[in-house]
Amino acid sequence: MEDVFLPIIIVGMLFIGLPWLIFHYVTQWKRSSSLTVEDENLLDELHDTARRLDDRLRSIERIIAADNPDFRPGQISDRSENPEYRRADEPERIENWRRGEHR
């Protein structure tokens, strides 16, 4: 009689238990990979802060342009895209940061 129950248990584990286990962890993985409400609120807050900072920078540029005729608006904010302002060791600094050697 024991010889009959063992194959039934093994087949049940293969066709019911294993797929349930796989689907359970796939669901957990998908749930954890999405943004939580707190993360979305933080991103919205950071976006608003960045927008306000950009508005302030443009206001400062307008004030400087009014005081200095040689000033070109956008000059301050263009530094990140301009290769002239990039440091020569920037790729090395980024790699050191990734390795944890930034201290």
Side-chain angles (χ1 to χ4, degrees):
M1 199 66 179
E2 272 185 36
D3 295 338
V4 175
F5 289 124
L6 188 61
I8 292 174
I9 292 172
I10 292 174
V11 169
M13 287 173 62
L14 281 176
F15 290 106
I16 296 172
L18 189 59
W20 177 85
L21 187 67
I22 291 170
F23 288 132
H24 170 74
Y25 282 108
V26 166
T27 304
Q28 294 295 324
W29 174 66
K30 285 184 178 181
R31 186 180 306 156
S32 67
S33 67
S34 64
L35 291 177
T36 64
V37 175
E38 296 163 353
D39 292 339
E40 289 179 6
N41 291 338
L42 179 62
L43 283 174
D44 288 339
E45 183 181 330
L46 290 173
H47 180 262
D48 290 339
T49 303
R51 184 184 46 77
R52 285 185 295 165
L53 288 173
D54 189 45
D55 291 342
R56 289 178 185 174
L57 181 63
R58 288 182 187 173
S59 298
I60 291 171
E61 286 178 341
R62 282 195 301 270
I63 292 169
I64 293 173
D67 290 343
N68 184 359
D70 295 333
F71 181 77
R72 179 177 58 91
Q75 188 174 359
I76 295 173
S77 59
D78 287 346
R79 285 187 174 192
S80 62
E81 290 95 24
N82 192 344
E84 178 183 328
Y85 292 103
R86 292 192 181 188
R87 292 175 53 163
D89 64 341
E90 187 172 351
E92 181 181 338
R93 287 185 316 113
I94 292 171
E95 191 60 35
N96 289 343
W97 181 268
R98 288 184 183 149
R99 281 191 242 129
E101 299 173 3
H102 58 278
R103 295 183 182 111

